[in-house]
Amino acid sequence: MVDAAVLTKLEEGFAKLAASDSKSLLKKYLTKEIFDNLKEKKTPTFGSSLLDCIQSGLENHDSGVGIYAPDAEAYTVFADLFDPIIEDYHGGFKKTDKHPPREFGDVNCFSNLDPNNEFIISTRVRCGRSLQGYPFNPCLTEAQYKEMEEKVSSTLSGLEGELKGKFYPLTGMEKAVQQQLIDDHFLFKEGDRFLQAANACRFWPTGRGIYHNDNKTFLVWCNEEDHLRIISMQMGGDLGEVYRRLVCAVNEIEKRLPFSHDDRLGFLTFCPTNLGTTIRASVHIKVPKLAANKAKLEEVAAKYNLQVRGTRGEHTEAEGGVYDISNKRRMGLTEFDAVKEMNDGIAELIKLEKGM
């Protein structure tokens, strides 16, 4: 049973959300019937309530989604709410659907999309992972944050070859190191208001840190939004090299740290938009002619399930015709297929730009 104070907060928050003009997926699917059915439930291991899942969306009516999973069990206990939101966001991934097993495919089949460096400024592939046996941010204790950071830093310190590098804890970070990481665009800041409201930033900066290899082409964020954000990137358009490095890194880390995985939903993370493969493959690409014909750009993007963002990511404008373009689908297809959608879409955009 949830306590009276939590119930009161839920009832008041639900009433305000229902009366608001919010366009969030939370508002769309949190019917009175579903609300009444879920408001007194808790997850068995960590005791997370419906409030833990939806407090960010109740506080921020301008959320796009408005719900997070405080622990892995929340996806099951509160499935009546999570499932329709997942289906809506992930393009029809129904509650009867099952995410395919992990499949990175032939890592040698991608090549350089822009060998003459005419269009692509940089290429990046990242994925999120959670450590098995730990809840997500809102339920983590300070001791668990420290324990996880210790596990992650010692694991990453064992990486060799191209992945070899150094772990930088955020706690007690020297100003010079901090400035260098900011200059490299590596350092993450304390969470935005959506994460703050979801209770995902407690004990900051305890247990948080950043790892990067010597070449600065491989990066791991520890305990930002997810337990792990594993990132491979470099200047230019060599998607093949970026993808191979990511796959190698994920496989190496998983040998040492077991990841949280669900037979139906794939890899589990804090945000339901980032389940399944959790893969986001993206390029910063300069297509000035297509930029002048935004409708054509959007049409091609939609055909290949690509997401077009401004230069600095979501909710920003394109600066000088530079867009951040990535695969949109993360569920119901393999890791290889998610990256292939981005590969094929970008190849098509370059072909069109050349022909204009």
Side-chain angles (χ1 to χ4, degrees):
M1 267 293 282
V2 300
D3 64 41
V6 169
L7 263 183
T8 304
K9 268 191 183 169
L10 273 169
E11 296 284 3
E12 287 173 356
F14 176 70
K16 281 182 187 159
L17 182 70
S20 77
D21 59 358
S22 172
K23 304 283 187 291
S24 70
L25 293 179
L26 174 64
K27 182 179 177 192
K28 186 173 173 183
Y29 293 107
L30 187 62
T31 62
K32 181 79 175 99
E33 185 186 357
I34 284 178
F35 176 77
D36 287 337
N37 181 30
L38 298 180
K39 67 185 179 187
E40 297 194 11
K41 291 189 173 178
K42 276 182 161 187
T43 61
T45 308
F46 296 101
S48 301
S49 68
L50 179 63
L51 185 63
D52 292 316
C53 301
I54 67 173
Q55 55 196 353
S56 183
L58 295 183
E59 206 168 296
N60 298 290
H61 290 173
D62 58 342
S63 294
V65 180
I67 185 170
Y68 292 99
D71 62 52
E73 294 168 345
Y75 285 114
T76 311
V77 173
F78 303 105
D80 289 352
L81 180 56
F82 275 108
D83 286 347
I85 287 174
I86 287 167
E87 180 174 344
D88 190 314
Y89 185 87
H90 291 281
F93 185 87
K94 300 179 187 61
K95 64 179 176 195
T96 48
D97 289 345
K98 199 173 170 185
H99 183 74
R102 185 181 71 169
E103 177 51 74
F104 286 120
D106 176 5
V107 295
N108 295 312
C109 95
F110 298 118
S111 56
N112 194 329
L113 282 161
D114 182 23
N116 300 325
N117 290 325
E118 292 170 74
F119 306 100
I120 296 177
I121 298 162
S122 61
T123 303
R124 189 175 96 141
V125 184
R126 64 95 165 137
C127 65
R129 289 289 185 269
S130 305
L131 304 193
Q132 210 176 311
Y134 289 91
F136 304 145
N137 278 340
C139 296
L140 284 168
T141 63
E142 192 166 11
Q144 285 173 319
Y145 268 118
K146 288 176 177 169
E147 193 180 293
M148 285 169 78
E149 183 190 19
E150 175 52 40
K151 279 186 181 178
V152 170
S153 68
S154 60
T155 295
L156 296 175
S157 311
L159 295 177
E160 289 170 355
E162 191 192 8
L163 303 175
K164 183 176 169 294
K166 186 176 174 187
F167 186 84
Y168 301 87
L170 260 58
T171 308
M173 184 179 278
E174 291 171 21
K175 280 278 176 273
V177 172
Q178 186 180 6
Q179 194 52 53
Q180 186 57 58
L181 290 168
I182 289 169
D183 292 345
D184 290 331
H185 302 291
F186 286 177
L187 194 66
F188 56 85
K189 298 191 288 287
E190 194 168 348
D192 57 29
R193 63 188 164 92
F194 300 100
L195 289 173
Q196 297 270 10
N199 220 0
C201 306
R202 293 181 314 145
F203 315 117
W204 190 275
T206 299
R208 279 80 170 185
I210 284 178
Y211 175 93
H212 69 71
N213 67 343
D214 299 338
N215 296 337
K216 298 185 176 179
T217 54
F218 167 64
L219 198 65
V220 180
W221 287 359
C222 173
N223 281 327
E224 182 241 6
E225 179 178 319
D226 291 315
H227 294 171
L228 295 178
R229 273 276 163 95
I230 303 167
I231 305 161
S232 172
M233 62 193 178
Q234 67 193 49
M235 301 309 283
D238 197 338
L239 177 62
E241 200 169 299
V242 173
Y243 184 59
R244 281 192 295 278
R245 186 186 305 118
L246 180 89
V247 173
C248 171
V250 170
N251 288 335
E252 282 300 314
I253 296 169
E254 195 174 21
K255 282 178 195 168
R256 302 161 167 91
L257 290 172
F259 296 142
S260 188
H261 186 272
D262 179 80
D263 280 350
R264 188 175 87 77
L265 296 173
F267 288 100
L268 298 179
T269 62
F270 182 46
C271 185
T273 65
N274 203 21
L275 296 167
T277 63
T278 77
I279 288 264
R280 183 172 186 266
S282 63
V283 293
H284 268 142
I285 185 168
K286 196 170 188 153
V287 281
K289 292 172 187 163
L290 272 170
N293 184 353
K294 192 82 191 293
K296 185 70 183 164
L297 177 64
E298 294 284 2
E299 181 194 319
V300 177
K303 183 179 159 195
Y304 289 95
N305 297 303
L306 300 183
Q307 187 170 26
V308 180
R309 304 183 184 198
T311 312
R312 298 180 190 282
E314 214 162 5
H315 313 307
T316 66
E317 295 301 312
E319 296 166 18
V322 175
Y323 289 95
D324 173 354
I325 300 182
S326 62
N327 62 299
K328 195 175 178 186
R329 299 198 303 158
R330 317 211 206 295
M331 294 190 81
L333 74 174
T334 65
E335 286 79 358
F336 178 81
D337 289 336
V339 175
K340 190 166 186 337
E341 283 195 328
M342 196 279 279
N343 178 80
D344 296 353
I346 296 300
E348 179 68 16
L349 287 172
I350 288 175
K351 193 171 114 189
L352 284 171
E353 180 74 11
K354 280 180 173 172
M356 283 174 94

